[in-house]
Every structure is written in C-alpha cells, then in structure tokens.
Amino acid sequence: LAKTTQPISMDSYEGQEVNITCSHNNIATNDYITWYQQFPSQGPRFIIQGYKTKVTNEVASLFIPADRKSSTLSLPRVSLSDTAVYYCLVGDEVNFNKFYFGSGTKLNVKP
Amino acid sequence: GAVVSQHPSRVICKSGTSVKIECRSLDFQATTMFWYRQFPKKSLMLMATSNEGSKATYEQGVEKDKFLINHASLTLSTLTVTSAHPEDSSFYICSGLAGADTQYFGPGTRLTVL
C-alpha cells in the first residue's frame, strides 16, 4: 500500500551534502509531500513539507519537479547526528487522510 | 512544529493483561489521529485511523477487538491492547493530523509482554 519508493540505505561523510530521492508516481493532485527523520526508539520527526518546486527551511531543502512524481530531500553539510532513517510520505489517493510508510532510507554518516 | 505526547513511554506487562496507551496533541487539535506499530528495523505499519467522536477504522489484519481505540476529545486518543500476548510486543507510535497532510508524531511507547 506504500505509495513511495526510496533507496534502502545511503552512506555519506561529515560535511557533505546528501540528497535522498523518493519516487511517488501515483501522487494525487491534492497530496503534499512530507519528509520525516526517525532515530531508533523515537517517533518520526517532521523535517519539511512541500507541494511543488522548492521549499527550504533551516535544516533542509525539498526539490519537487513539475510532474511531482518524485522529490529530493537535500541535507546540507551532514554531521554524525544526522545518521537516521528518512521517510517521505504522501497521502493515499483512495483513502483520504491515510498515510502508508515505505521502507525509508537509512542514512549512515561517517566521520 | 506541533507537539504530541504519549504515555507511558515504556510498559512491561504479563501475558493476558490489558495495557492502555495515551496519545495527546499538546498544542493543536487533532480531529484525526493515527496509530502505528513498528517492529525492530522495520518501517511503521498503520494500524488504525482514529477520528474524534466516531469509531476508529482499522487496517486489514488488525483486530479491532484486541486493539481498542477511543478518541473522545480533539486532543486525546487512547489505544488499549487487550489480553496482551508476547507477539503484541512492539513499538507503538501515534500521530495527530494537523491540517490535511501534516502528521506530528508522538515519541512512541515500547510495549513488552512477558
């Protein structure tokens, strides 16, 4: 039922920019795209949300192409503390206001 | 961002007992709240959707008589695991829906059934 597809894992080094892409080919017209960060034994934490084009906040940027079938979360200059699982989430086009998580991307930041 | 709390954060119980988990939206009103379950190294699995003032809707395979959900106010939803068994041991996470698309998640509750 998950509407999103992400790479299972990614490796990076401290100080690098990390881009995580999510595919959501069947995104509905009214759906927003939301990204979350999750550390072990904690609930997911909201990072950023967007509908189209580019959104930036103090921790990340979100790039969404015109067809909205994918999105890219960009984390500038990652640190070891950014090691976590990152999920992109879109609503379910059939069941309104339901959200099914995909596998997420485990980001490993190395020193 | 908006804040959601869960209580307790951790609970250990004996097989056959019931456990209640509370989920509260602290600074916003959540007409809709969700309950998820997460097993180690796995993604979150949606269990049920809780709507204030109405019956919860459960995902396929989730027993509604075992996982009782009550959403009596705009800031509180509860999940009661009835007659818990070791296979119910998991990490339970709730979220409140703010607006149409933004969920804010609680910190989770670790349930261990002995």
Side-chain angles (χ1 to χ4, degrees), chain A:
Chain A
L1 292 174
K3 296 180 62 177
T4 60
T5 304
Q6 302 174 232
I8 295 295
S9 66
M10 293 180 68
D11 290 332
S12 181
Y13 290 93
E14 281 192 291
Q16 288 186 332
E17 178 185 79
V18 171
N19 296 309
I20 306 174
T21 297
C22 177
S23 296
H24 27 78
N25 292 316
N26 298 319
I27 189 169
T29 303
N30 296 329
D31 279 345
Y32 280 74
I33 301 153
T34 312
W35 283 80
Y36 294 89
Q37 176 192 56
Q38 187 183 30
F39 297 111
S41 297
Q42 295 186 25
R45 183 178 75 97
F46 175 91
I47 302 174
I48 197 167
Q49 183 183 72
Y51 183 79
K52 61 181 178 180
T53 63
K54 177 183 175 182
V55 180
T56 298
N57 63 21
E58 62 275 10
V59 298
S61 295
L62 178 58
F63 299 92
I64 305 169
D67 66 5
R68 302 195 337 116
K69 294 183 182 298
S70 66
S71 59
T72 299
L73 174 73
S74 181
L75 303 173
R77 299 179 299 281
V78 294
S79 64
L80 295 176
S81 62
D82 293 317
T83 293
V85 178
Y86 293 82
Y87 294 98
C88 73
L89 203 60
V90 299
D92 188 271
E93 62 187 9
V94 176
N95 301 292
F96 297 114
N97 287 349
K98 279 193 177 184
F99 302 86
Y100 298 100
F101 278 79
S103 63
T105 298
K106 176 68 185 344
L107 174 64
N108 297 302
V109 180
K110 303 175 183 178

Side-chain angles (χ1 to χ4, degrees), chain A residues 38 41-42 44 87, chain B residues 36-45 90-93 110:
Chain A
Q38 187 183 30
S41 297
Q42 295 186 25
Y87 294 98
Chain B
Y36 296 86
R37 181 165 52 180
Q38 187 174 34
F39 293 106
K41 299 190 183 301
K42 298 294 185 182
S43 185
L44 285 78
M45 291 173 21
S90 189
F91 192 54
Y92 292 87
I93 307 170
R110 174 74 58 193

Side-chain angles (χ1 to χ4, degrees), chain B:
Chain B
V3 180
V4 174
S5 69
Q6 276 184 247
H7 178 80
S9 59
R10 184 182 297 268
V11 57
I12 301 172
C13 68
K14 292 182 179 180
S15 186
T17 61
S18 295
V19 174
K20 179 186 284 189
I21 302 170
E22 291 187 350
C23 176
R24 294 181 185 273
S25 56
L26 299 184
D27 52 2
F28 69 103
Q29 293 184 329
T31 306
T32 301
M33 287 183 167
F34 300 98
W35 287 94
Y36 296 86
R37 181 165 52 180
Q38 187 174 34
F39 293 106
K41 299 190 183 301
K42 298 294 185 182
S43 185
L44 285 78
M45 291 173 21
L46 179 64
M47 298 176 65
T49 302
S50 168
N51 293 298
E52 186 266 339
S54 63
K55 290 184 178 181
T57 56
Y58 292 81
E59 295 300 303
Q60 190 172 7
V62 178
E63 300 176 56
K64 60 179 174 60
D65 294 330
K66 181 168 188 62
F67 298 99
L68 301 179
I69 291 172
N70 183 277
H71 193 163
S73 79
L74 289 173
T75 58
L76 174 64
S77 176
T78 60
L79 169 69
T80 300
V81 184
T82 62
S83 187
H85 288 94
E87 57 266 29
D88 298 323
S89 298
S90 189
F91 192 54
Y92 292 87
I93 307 170
C94 71
S95 70
L97 190 64
D101 278 72
T102 309
Q103 292 182 79
Y104 292 97
F105 290 85
T109 296
R110 174 74 58 193
L111 170 64
T112 302
V113 185
L114 301 177

